[in-house]
Amino acid sequence: MSKTPNEQLLFELIQSMTKSEKRSFKLYAKRSGGSTETKYIKLFDVMERMELYNEELILKKLPDTSKTQFANLKSHLYSQILGSLRLSNLKDDIDIELREQLDFIRVLYKKGLYQQSLRLLNRAKNITGDYRKDLFHLALLDYEKQIRSQQVFDLEEEQAYDIDVQTDKAMKRFMNVQKFFTLATRLKARFVQHGMVKSEREMNNLKALFYTNLPDFKEEELAFNEKFYLYRAYYWFSYLTYDFDDCVHYAEKWVNIFHETGLDKKRRAAYLKGLNRLLQSAFRVNNLTKYDEYYQALSNFEEREGATLASNTQVLLVKYKAIQTFNHVFMTTQFAENLEKVQEVMKKVEANKKFIDKHNLVVIYYKASVFYFASERHNDARFYLNKLLNDSDRLRSDLKGYARILSILIDYDTGEEQYFEQKLKAAYDFIVYEENLGRVQQVFLDFLGKIGSIYPQDLKKGFMSLKAEIEKVNDGDFSRKTLLYFDLMSWIDSKIEGRSFAEMVREKARVQMR
């Protein structure tokens, strides 16, 4: 993954700021005067107006600044912005608030004001309990031991023992959380890099990874954070192994523990992620009833919390709303009716794309290309496909392989076959290189390679034979799952019946809903 060059870090930080954060920074910066402050505010103004980082242009606008002074000025401005952002996020970020409370507790302790220190500590412990902040709770217990050990005349043996018991429990919970979290992260990283399992060998490797790293536990004895990360780990294991019914099960558990504890209103980013996973899973199993229920929950969340979300959670909402808008369209097959909604969603994606992670951008662009392909807006489909085809990053190579196939289908449907053979070979080579070639893909690409030699009057028979062969290899092995990324069978049926791809998808959806 590409990284921001060091000289552009300040520029990236400034560009990430919201209007209110920029306003707060200006007020923060004006708290003191002086030439240095004037210069760094001017540097801020120059960078804030730029669309692309241009150091030469910046130096021209600061003629009295040498390159050495410029480096110091950037460093000073960077620290000042961070200081301002910390203050502006103090009321909205519980972690920042708790760290400040820890600092106050420490300051009072060092001054020997032990009762005042304990008073703040107990207040902070209530907050950590409300938000289930285990790491902060451990830190507070450690401070409590130190403070009470100084109160020689008030120290009781039972009290010291109780703190020790609390610490042991908190440590055990924290260690479980770390194991569950690490396992979930490893599974997600494997999915991002390689996609779902594609062979019995990969399945066995994944099971070995999962079960050898899963600690012993009794679910009913787990605390909130333990359950949260456990469900995340099981979700990713189920997703990689195509067990989408279990994905629904664990994602729903994930969402429900937030509802049961009221933490959907406090730890909103984590709740939003679970809601997105649940919707994604309901989409995979084509459960429109459950999908509608939780899509309404997403809409309610947006209406209730949207205006008060931190900027990073706002971005989560943008990308999840985009993904779920496409999923909703694919489930209802109402392509033309949702064109304006999709265009509006993609405008928000483009406006926020520098803050959206690369993986989700790939997913959104791929879904956009499928939507426009089904809508027969081939130029729009090519626009988003090219974003994937021109990307040299190996991230989500499975989707990029299907993007190549989709590009070939557009050329075939529109009769633009000038580079058909070259594209076909490139697609085959790419999918083989990335080890994403399933039997369905191989049969399909082999057929496309021979399609030019089939007489027009024999094309229908050719597609019928292709359909029969895919149905044969699509039974009982991992290649049957490749159809999740694009409905090849509906495209083949459209050629057999002489109807549009969207019509075939719509008809299939009607049958499945009965």
Side-chain angles (χ1 to χ4, degrees), residues 295-306:
Y295 190 76
Q296 186 59 51
L298 177 64
S299 299
N300 292 343
F301 175 88
E302 183 178 25
E303 184 177 342
R304 184 184 72 239
E305 309 285 346

Side-chain angles (χ1 to χ4, degrees), residues 23 35 58 77 82 87 110 113 125 152 162 210 263 266 285 300 354 392 406 469 471:
R23 222 171 16 248
S35 59
I58 295 171
L77 176 56
L82 289 180
L87 284 177
K110 290 185 72 175
L113 300 171
K125 281 174 76 174
V152 178
D162 182 57
F210 185 73
L263 287 171
K266 295 177 179 178
V285 298
N300 292 343
K354 61 184 174 183
S392 60
L406 199 54
E469 192 169 357
E471 286 174 342

Side-chain angles (χ1 to χ4, degrees), residues 11 33 36 52 87 106 118 138 140 190 197 217 256 258 265 282 285 334 368 378 394 424 444-445 485-486 502:
F11 176 73
T36 302
L52 295 173
L87 284 177
R106 183 68 180 173
L118 274 177
L138 268 173
L140 289 168
R190 179 166 293 203
V197 296
F217 66 90
N256 284 342
F258 277 87
K265 300 176 181 64
V285 298
Q334 295 177 335
H378 297 119
R394 294 186 67 182
L424 189 62
F444 188 72
L445 289 171
Y485 295 138
F486 179 71

Side-chain angles (χ1 to χ4, degrees), residues 365-383:
Y365 288 154
Y366 181 77
K367 286 181 179 290
S369 64
V370 174
F371 169 82
Y372 283 116
F373 175 82
S375 304
E376 297 186 1
R377 297 175 67 94
H378 297 119
N379 287 336
D380 291 325
R382 283 196 180 97
F383 175 78

Side-chain angles (χ1 to χ4, degrees), residues 316-327:
L316 284 181
L317 188 56
V318 168
K319 68 184 182 183
Y320 293 159
K321 200 65 186 290
I323 290 169
Q324 298 312 328
T325 295
F326 283 120
N327 287 347

Side-chain angles (χ1 to χ4, degrees), residues 13 198 333 406:
L13 176 61
K198 296 173 285 295
T333 67
L406 199 54

Side-chain angles (χ1 to χ4, degrees), residues 17-46:
M17 294 171 71
T18 64
K19 287 183 179 179
S20 62
E21 287 171 342
K22 290 174 183 176
R23 222 171 16 248
S24 297
F25 169 71
K26 289 293 185 72
L27 294 172
Y28 176 85
K30 288 176 182 176
R31 74 198 188 288
S32 60
S35 59
T36 302
E37 282 68 26
T38 303
K39 279 189 174 182
Y40 82 69
I41 292 172
K42 187 172 182 181
L43 174 59
F44 177 88
D45 289 338
V46 171

